[in-house]
Amino acid sequence: METIYYSLLGYVSWALVLGFSLITLRSLQVLLGKKKSNEFPAGIPHGSPFEWRLNRAHLNTLENLPIFLSIVFVIVSLGKIDDFVNTASIVVVISRICQSTIHLISTSVWMVNFRFTFYMIQNFTYAVVIGRIVA
């Protein structure tokens, strides 16, 4: 199986790790009687700062998944899998994991800047790959 497929599965797996982490955190709060199951409003900051960052990291990963999936789909459909796009797919997944992890660790100015750098690496990689596809 080509690396790009493993990268796509890695990206999805990362989204699942974040999602299951959030589910576990919230389930424990409900099971321990600290919260009711309807006390997790969507889109409104709630819980600890870490819990909210985990929620945002998970949602941000899901929001960006269609971009990665679309690019992979076009590459595969056009038969343009090569070493370059395989390597680029690894860069995207590693950058996504780094971005999310930094988001979970801190919201200091330096860490936000560092996190933004990894986000820009993903977007730059997408742009370069798209450029290669259409060239």
Side-chain angles (χ1 to χ4, degrees):
M1 185 160 69
E2 293 282 353
T3 303
I4 199 165
Y5 296 123
Y6 287 113
S7 295
L8 182 57
L9 290 174
Y11 195 110
V12 170
S13 296
W14 180 245
L16 289 171
V17 165
L18 293 171
F20 282 128
S21 298
L22 190 59
I23 290 167
T24 300
L25 185 63
R26 290 178 176 178
S27 295
L28 286 172
Q29 291 176 26
V30 170
L31 292 173
L32 295 173
K34 294 180 178 181
K35 292 237 182 197
K36 294 179 184 173
S37 59
N38 64 347
E39 292 181 335
F40 303 101
I44 300 170
H46 58 276
S48 70
F50 175 80
E51 182 181 350
W52 185 246
R53 290 194 311 272
L54 176 58
N55 182 55
R56 288 303 314 145
H58 176 243
L59 290 176
N60 186 256
T61 299
L62 291 177
E63 290 162 356
N64 285 275
L65 178 57
I67 297 168
F68 187 43
L69 180 59
S70 298
I71 292 170
V72 170
F73 175 78
V74 171
I75 289 168
V76 171
S77 297
L78 295 175
K80 294 204 173 193
I81 298 175
D82 60 16
D83 289 340
F84 182 84
V85 296
N86 279 330
T87 302
S89 70
I90 294 169
V91 169
V92 167
V93 174
I94 290 171
S95 296
R96 168 54 54 186
I97 291 169
C98 289
Q99 178 191 353
S100 300
T101 302
I102 292 167
H103 196 166
L104 297 176
I105 293 171
S106 174
T107 58
S108 72
V109 171
W110 281 105
M111 293 301 270
V112 169
N113 292 340
F114 200 38
R115 186 176 88 212
F116 180 73
T117 300
F118 283 108
Y119 183 62
M120 289 309 300
I121 290 169
Q122 292 166 71
N123 284 287
F124 179 77
T125 304
Y126 292 147
V128 170
V129 169
I130 289 169
R132 283 181 54 101
I133 291 170
V134 299

mmCIF file of all heavy atoms in Angstrom, residues 73-91:
data_model
loop_
_atom_site.group_PDB
_atom_site.id
_atom_site.type_symbol
_atom_site.label_atom_id
_atom_site.label_comp_id
_atom_site.label_asym_id
_atom_site.label_seq_id
_atom_site.Cartn_x
_atom_site.Cartn_y
_atom_site.Cartn_z
ATOM 1 N N PHE A 73 -7.663 12.192 -2.803
ATOM 2 C CA PHE A 73 -8.586 11.645 -3.792
ATOM 3 C C PHE A 73 -8.175 12.026 -5.219
ATOM 4 O O PHE A 73 -8.142 11.192 -6.121
ATOM 5 C CB PHE A 73 -10.017 12.122 -3.506
ATOM 6 C CG PHE A 73 -11.007 11.695 -4.543
ATOM 7 C CD1 PHE A 73 -11.503 10.401 -4.565
ATOM 8 C CD2 PHE A 73 -11.446 12.587 -5.517
ATOM 9 C CE1 PHE A 73 -12.406 9.999 -5.543
ATOM 10 C CE2 PHE A 73 -12.348 12.207 -6.489
ATOM 11 C CZ PHE A 73 -12.831 10.899 -6.505
ATOM 12 N N VAL A 74 -7.868 13.291 -5.422
ATOM 13 C CA VAL A 74 -7.478 13.750 -6.765
ATOM 14 C C VAL A 74 -6.162 13.099 -7.193
ATOM 15 O O VAL A 74 -6.030 12.645 -8.331
ATOM 16 C CB VAL A 74 -7.397 15.291 -6.816
ATOM 17 C CG1 VAL A 74 -6.790 15.762 -8.130
ATOM 18 C CG2 VAL A 74 -8.781 15.901 -6.613
ATOM 19 N N ILE A 75 -5.194 13.046 -6.288
ATOM 20 C CA ILE A 75 -3.908 12.416 -6.615
ATOM 21 C C ILE A 75 -4.112 10.968 -7.054
ATOM 22 O O ILE A 75 -3.581 10.526 -8.075
ATOM 23 C CB ILE A 75 -2.948 12.492 -5.407
ATOM 24 C CG1 ILE A 75 -2.470 13.920 -5.198
ATOM 25 C CG2 ILE A 75 -1.762 11.544 -5.581
ATOM 26 C CD1 ILE A 75 -1.765 14.147 -3.872
ATOM 27 N N VAL A 76 -4.880 10.237 -6.272
ATOM 28 C CA VAL A 76 -5.117 8.830 -6.576
ATOM 29 C C VAL A 76 -5.916 8.688 -7.871
ATOM 30 O O VAL A 76 -5.581 7.868 -8.742
ATOM 31 C CB VAL A 76 -5.837 8.129 -5.399
ATOM 32 C CG1 VAL A 76 -6.284 6.732 -5.776
ATOM 33 C CG2 VAL A 76 -4.922 8.100 -4.175
ATOM 34 N N SER A 77 -6.944 9.504 -8.031
ATOM 35 C CA SER A 77 -7.792 9.434 -9.228
ATOM 36 C C SER A 77 -7.017 9.708 -10.509
ATOM 37 O O SER A 77 -7.277 9.105 -11.548
ATOM 38 C CB SER A 77 -8.958 10.416 -9.120
ATOM 39 O OG SER A 77 -9.788 10.073 -8.049
ATOM 40 N N LEU A 78 -6.065 10.619 -10.420
ATOM 41 C CA LEU A 78 -5.273 10.974 -11.599
ATOM 42 C C LEU A 78 -4.036 10.094 -11.763
ATOM 43 O O LEU A 78 -3.273 10.273 -12.714
ATOM 44 C CB LEU A 78 -4.853 12.449 -11.532
ATOM 45 C CG LEU A 78 -5.984 13.471 -11.590
ATOM 46 C CD1 LEU A 78 -5.432 14.885 -11.402
ATOM 47 C CD2 LEU A 78 -6.762 13.350 -12.884
ATOM 48 N N GLY A 79 -3.837 9.170 -10.851
ATOM 49 C CA GLY A 79 -2.681 8.287 -10.928
ATOM 50 C C GLY A 79 -1.358 9.029 -10.737
ATOM 51 O O GLY A 79 -0.352 8.682 -11.352
ATOM 52 N N LYS A 80 -1.359 10.043 -9.876
ATOM 53 C CA LYS A 80 -0.164 10.875 -9.692
ATOM 54 C C LYS A 80 0.557 10.592 -8.376
ATOM 55 O O LYS A 80 1.251 11.459 -7.844
ATOM 56 C CB LYS A 80 -0.536 12.353 -9.797
ATOM 57 C CG LYS A 80 -1.011 12.738 -11.185
ATOM 58 C CD LYS A 80 -0.809 14.189 -11.436
ATOM 59 C CE LYS A 80 -1.136 14.494 -12.896
ATOM 60 N NZ LYS A 80 -0.681 15.805 -13.299
ATOM 61 N N ILE A 81 0.413 9.384 -7.865
ATOM 62 C CA ILE A 81 1.146 9.027 -6.652
ATOM 63 C C ILE A 81 2.618 8.856 -7.020
ATOM 64 O O ILE A 81 2.956 8.135 -7.946
ATOM 65 C CB ILE A 81 0.606 7.722 -6.027
ATOM 66 C CG1 ILE A 81 -0.849 7.869 -5.598
ATOM 67 C CG2 ILE A 81 1.479 7.315 -4.836
ATOM 68 C CD1 ILE A 81 -1.487 6.589 -5.094
ATOM 69 N N ASP A 82 3.477 9.577 -6.296
ATOM 70 C CA ASP A 82 4.916 9.428 -6.483
ATOM 71 C C ASP A 82 5.599 9.676 -5.141
ATOM 72 O O ASP A 82 4.935 9.907 -4.119
ATOM 73 C CB ASP A 82 5.442 10.359 -7.582
ATOM 74 C CG ASP A 82 5.201 11.842 -7.316
ATOM 75 O OD1 ASP A 82 4.895 12.218 -6.157
ATOM 76 O OD2 ASP A 82 5.320 12.640 -8.259
ATOM 77 N N ASP A 83 6.918 9.623 -5.128
ATOM 78 C CA ASP A 83 7.653 9.825 -3.877
ATOM 79 C C ASP A 83 7.392 11.196 -3.271
ATOM 80 O O ASP A 83 7.317 11.343 -2.047
ATOM 81 C CB ASP A 83 9.157 9.636 -4.108
ATOM 82 C CG ASP A 83 9.531 8.186 -4.353
ATOM 83 O OD1 ASP A 83 8.739 7.292 -3.990
ATOM 84 O OD2 ASP A 83 10.626 7.950 -4.903
ATOM 85 N N PHE A 84 7.242 12.201 -4.134
ATOM 86 C CA PHE A 84 7.017 13.554 -3.632
ATOM 87 C C PHE A 84 5.710 13.639 -2.851
ATOM 88 O O PHE A 84 5.680 14.152 -1.731
ATOM 89 C CB PHE A 84 7.013 14.577 -4.771
ATOM 90 C CG PHE A 84 6.829 15.977 -4.288
ATOM 91 C CD1 PHE A 84 7.914 16.716 -3.844
ATOM 92 C CD2 PHE A 84 5.568 16.561 -4.249
ATOM 93 C CE1 PHE A 84 7.752 18.009 -3.371
ATOM 94 C CE2 PHE A 84 5.399 17.849 -3.783
ATOM 95 C CZ PHE A 84 6.487 18.578 -3.344
ATOM 96 N N VAL A 85 4.608 13.183 -3.436
ATOM 97 C CA VAL A 85 3.318 13.300 -2.739
ATOM 98 C C VAL A 85 3.260 12.363 -1.530
ATOM 99 O O VAL A 85 2.610 12.690 -0.534
ATOM 100 C CB VAL A 85 2.100 13.087 -3.677
ATOM 101 C CG1 VAL A 85 2.046 14.165 -4.730
ATOM 102 C CG2 VAL A 85 2.055 11.717 -4.277
ATOM 103 N N ASN A 86 3.935 11.235 -1.602
ATOM 104 C CA ASN A 86 3.997 10.357 -0.432
ATOM 105 C C ASN A 86 4.707 11.065 0.720
ATOM 106 O O ASN A 86 4.236 11.040 1.859
ATOM 107 C CB ASN A 86 4.699 9.045 -0.771
ATOM 108 C CG ASN A 86 3.788 8.055 -1.464
ATOM 109 O OD1 ASN A 86 2.572 8.036 -1.245
ATOM 110 N ND2 ASN A 86 4.360 7.215 -2.310
ATOM 111 N N THR A 87 5.824 11.712 0.422
ATOM 112 C CA THR A 87 6.556 12.453 1.452
ATOM 113 C C THR A 87 5.730 13.640 1.952
ATOM 114 O O THR A 87 5.673 13.903 3.158
ATOM 115 C CB THR A 87 7.915 12.939 0.905
ATOM 116 O OG1 THR A 87 8.655 11.792 0.467
ATOM 117 C CG2 THR A 87 8.695 13.692 1.952
ATOM 118 N N ALA A 88 5.087 14.344 1.042
ATOM 119 C CA ALA A 88 4.249 15.491 1.422
ATOM 120 C C ALA A 88 3.123 15.049 2.360
ATOM 121 O O ALA A 88 2.788 15.767 3.311
ATOM 122 C CB ALA A 88 3.680 16.170 0.179
ATOM 123 N N SER A 89 2.559 13.875 2.115
ATOM 124 C CA SER A 89 1.476 13.398 2.976
ATOM 125 C C SER A 89 1.969 13.132 4.392
ATOM 126 O O SER A 89 1.259 13.389 5.364
ATOM 127 C CB SER A 89 0.814 12.153 2.373
ATOM 128 O OG SER A 89 1.669 11.028 2.435
ATOM 129 N N ILE A 90 3.198 12.661 4.505
ATOM 130 C CA ILE A 90 3.788 12.458 5.837
ATOM 131 C C ILE A 90 3.998 13.797 6.530
ATOM 132 O O ILE A 90 3.714 13.945 7.724
ATOM 133 C CB ILE A 90 5.121 11.685 5.726
ATOM 134 C CG1 ILE A 90 4.868 10.259 5.231
ATOM 135 C CG2 ILE A 90 5.850 11.658 7.065
ATOM 136 C CD1 ILE A 90 6.128 9.508 4.837
ATOM 137 N N VAL A 91 4.474 14.782 5.789
ATOM 138 C CA VAL A 91 4.677 16.131 6.345
ATOM 139 C C VAL A 91 3.356 16.680 6.884
ATOM 140 O O VAL A 91 3.307 17.257 7.978
ATOM 141 C CB VAL A 91 5.278 17.081 5.286
ATOM 142 C CG1 VAL A 91 5.241 18.532 5.751
ATOM 143 C CG2 VAL A 91 6.699 16.651 4.936
#
